[in-house]
Amino acid sequence: MKRPARQLYYDDLHEHLGYVLRRAQLAGFEAFRQATHGVDISPARYTAMVIVHANPGLTQSALGAALGTARSGAMTMVDWLEDRGLAERRNRPEDARSWGLFLTPRGETQLRDLKRRVRANDARFAGRLAPSELATLRKLLDKLSG
Amino acid sequence: MKRPARQLYYDDLHEHLGYVLRRAQLAGFEAFRQATHGVDISPARYTAMVIVHANPGLTQSALGAALGTARSGAMTMVDWLEDRGLAERRNRPEDARSWGLFLTPRGETQLRDLKRRVRANDARFAGRLAPSELATLRKLLDKLSG
DNA sequence: TATTGTTATACTCTATAACTATA
DNA sequence: TATAGTTATAGAGTATAACAATA
């Protein structure tokens, strides 16, 4: 038989907004993981697919800036997407230094499926709150991030 | 002269609670970084110090569980704290397999200083919201994480 | 000169698995 | 047998710096 774990104290950690945000964000990652179970994807890569889809032809640098990573990080990201046939680099006539990024038909299809799943699970995750609470939360978080 | 960056579209990312949480959490990390400028610390290590301080004598496994990491991660964490003279491992008479963790006097002093800084900066960061908004936000985030 | 993509490299964080000593 | 700590190892993720091609 297992001894009951000793009671742990957290001092005033729950007063720290950063700590509370971090915990909520980890719960969000976990919800995403469940929503995308069985698909080889991550929050960052999902974000990348959404952004490429919404901005067809954008450059790697622009993608990196949108994701908040260095150019080399965007490079790795696009390699990953291209290796799986989800996105492709095309020549840009107006600037031979850079590529234009596009989702492939397969990438579009997968993104549609992922969006459906993520939306449904987001609703389930957010379902811990009443609709009015959720609207308030989104507003307050945006205000905090701005 | 630099060309103006092309307008970027984010589709419905801002509808996704996980995405909004992630952005807010990154803003929180940045606030922490500013608050602790010049001190060699991180949010996770700060959390570890707070928990050791609040639970003197706890084991590494208990610390790992509190931090949400594997035992080997707690090991690395405690090594880091011990190397800098901030915490120490003491023998536990009641169980020779495990250590009891304690902050050193130096650790206590540094934690006091850090707490002051983090609290002040937390107030500044949270200051983007009205006090009533902040209370609402904390409540909603806790509800979401629970 | 400046920018884009690329490559090499390194550092942090974290997870797994195997080992040891104690229980 | 189960658990705590330890160690080795590997995999993400990310940052910096240097280089070639192009602007």
Side-chain angles (χ1 to χ4, degrees):
Chain A
M1 184 141 77
K2 208 173 154 185
R3 241 172 322 149
R6 168 147 64 125
Q7 168 72 40
L8 262 193
Y9 300 100
Y10 288 83
D11 199 349
D12 62 352
L13 279 176
H14 288 270
E15 300 298 316
H16 286 307
L17 191 50
Y19 179 81
V20 180
L21 280 170
R22 175 66 173 157
R23 263 173 46 96
Q25 187 257 311
L26 287 175
F29 264 18
E30 176 56 23
F32 181 91
R33 204 187 58 77
Q34 287 176 20
T36 59
H37 178 258
V39 186
D40 189 14
I41 197 73
S42 73
R45 295 200 252 258
Y46 174 76
T47 301
M49 289 183 74
V50 170
I51 289 177
V52 171
H53 172 75
N55 304 274
L58 87 167
T59 64
Q60 279 186 194
S61 293
L63 178 61
L67 296 176
T69 69
R71 284 202 308 279
S72 59
M75 172 83 196
T76 306
M77 176 68 81
V78 176
D79 280 350
W80 189 93
L81 292 170
E82 208 173 45
D83 287 349
R84 282 152 190 80
L86 302 173
E88 60 183 9
R89 296 166 160 105
R90 296 191 203 153
N91 284 329
R92 276 164 40 99
E94 69 269 37
D95 189 337
R97 291 174 303 181
S98 53
W99 305 105
L101 303 177
F102 297 86
L103 290 192
T104 61
R106 184 170 165 206
E108 298 279 356
T109 301
Q110 177 165 121
L111 179 58
R112 250 193 311 278
D113 171 58
L114 283 173
K115 268 192 181 176
R116 195 173 35 73
R117 294 210 211 187
V118 170
R119 273 201 201 105
N121 196 274
D122 208 61
R124 200 175 63 76
F125 173 51
R128 298 176 191 175
L129 304 180
S132 67
E133 288 180 322
L134 188 57
T136 303
L137 178 59
R138 283 222 189 83
K139 195 191 65 182
L140 295 178
L141 288 174
D142 269 336
K143 204 165 166 183
L144 207 56
S145 311
Chain B
M1 185 140 80
K2 206 174 155 182
R3 241 173 322 149
R6 171 152 56 131
Q7 168 72 41
L8 262 193
Y9 299 100
Y10 289 82
D11 200 348
D12 62 352
L13 279 177
H14 287 270
E15 300 298 316
H16 286 307
L17 191 50
Y19 180 81
V20 180
L21 280 170
R22 175 67 172 157
R23 264 173 46 97
Q25 187 256 311
L26 287 175
F29 265 18
E30 176 57 23
F32 181 92
R33 204 187 58 77
Q34 287 175 20
T36 58
H37 179 259
V39 186
D40 189 14
I41 197 71
S42 73
R45 294 201 252 258
Y46 174 75
T47 301
M49 289 184 74
V50 169
I51 288 177
V52 171
H53 172 73
N55 305 273
L58 87 168
T59 64
Q60 278 186 195
S61 293
L63 178 62
L67 297 175
T69 68
R71 285 203 307 278
S72 59
M75 172 83 197
T76 307
M77 176 69 79
V78 176
D79 280 351
W80 189 91
L81 292 170
E82 208 172 46
D83 287 350
R84 282 153 190 79
L86 301 173
E88 60 182 8
R89 296 167 160 104
R90 296 191 203 153
N91 284 328
R92 276 162 43 97
E94 69 270 37
D95 190 338
R97 291 175 302 182
S98 53
W99 305 105
L101 304 177
F102 297 85
L103 291 191
T104 61
R106 184 170 164 208
E108 298 281 354
T109 302
Q110 178 165 119
L111 179 58
R112 249 193 313 278
D113 171 59
L114 283 173
K115 268 192 180 176
R116 196 173 37 71
R117 293 210 212 186
V118 170
R119 273 202 202 104
N121 197 274
D122 208 61
R124 201 175 63 77
F125 173 50
R128 298 176 189 175
L129 304 181
S132 67
E133 287 180 322
L134 189 57
T136 304
L137 178 59
R138 284 221 189 83
K139 195 192 64 182
L140 295 178
L141 289 174
D142 268 335
K143 205 165 165 183
L144 207 57
S145 311

